[in-house]
Amino acid sequence: MKFIFKHNEKLDSLVDYVKSKLNKIEAILLNGELGAGKTTFTAALAKSLNESKQIVSPTFNTILVYDKIVHIDAYKLKGDLFAFEDYFEDKLVIVEWSDLIKHNFKKYLKINVYFDQDQNHVFEIVEEIL
């Protein structure tokens, strides 16, 4: 399933779709090009979940823990997420660059994020393990 958005277009349809799956998943695994919209999507989803804090890229911190989500940038990680698992309880885990690490999530959405030939932001749900 693909969701395509023009630059600066709200991601409402994607956010609504993902929210409809939240009671069935423990993580969202994001992969894609730099600047394609991984953190923008995370911020839009968190806002729709009434997250009280502003979502920023976890690039320099590797992990940012919020009230409702745990946001991880796995770009520089090796191995798995074991060291972070204590933070996961009762929170949705969102992992950017998830293809670079191993994970133990049993129920998740995997979304590839990229630009199409017209520079639209494409969010393609490539795996739903519910």
Side-chain angles (χ1 to χ4, degrees):
M1 174 177 283
K2 285 185 188 178
F3 295 83
I4 301 171
F5 302 95
K6 294 183 182 343
H7 183 66
N8 287 332
E9 183 178 355
K10 290 188 178 198
L11 308 178
D12 293 345
S13 59
L14 174 62
V15 167
D16 289 345
Y17 180 82
V18 170
K19 279 179 66 175
S20 76
K21 306 291 183 179
L22 288 184
N23 63 342
K24 300 174 187 162
I25 63 170
E26 53 193 324
I28 299 170
L29 309 177
L30 300 171
N31 295 290
E33 305 170 45
L34 284 171
K38 297 179 297 292
T39 299
T40 300
F41 162 72
T42 301
L45 179 61
K47 182 178 180 184
S48 79
L49 297 173
N50 297 314
E51 176 60 58
S52 60
K53 299 174 186 164
Q54 180 178 356
I55 304 300
V56 296
S57 175
T59 299
F60 299 107
N61 302 71
T62 305
I63 182 172
L64 293 171
V65 180
Y66 298 94
D67 296 331
K68 301 184 189 270
I69 68 168
V70 174
H71 192 190
I72 298 171
D73 184 317
Y75 188 76
K76 295 181 229 163
L77 294 180
K78 304 236 186 296
D80 60 29
L81 298 175
F82 179 76
F84 304 115
E85 288 180 4
D86 287 344
Y87 299 104
F88 296 175
E89 190 173 337
D90 298 327
K91 296 183 191 292
L92 176 65
V93 180
I94 302 174
V95 182
E96 297 188 20
W97 304 100
S98 68
D99 280 351
L100 299 177
I101 49 101
K102 296 175 192 161
H103 68 81
N104 294 318
F105 299 114
K106 306 255 186 286
K107 298 178 181 181
Y108 59 87
L109 293 178
K110 182 183 272 190
I111 304 173
N112 288 344
V113 186
Y114 54 92
F115 295 105
D116 68 10
Q117 68 277 4
D118 298 319
Q119 293 303 300
N120 295 310
H121 298 268
V122 179
F123 295 80
E124 182 175 2
I125 298 173
V126 294
E127 198 169 19
E128 283 191 32
I129 306 297
L130 307 175

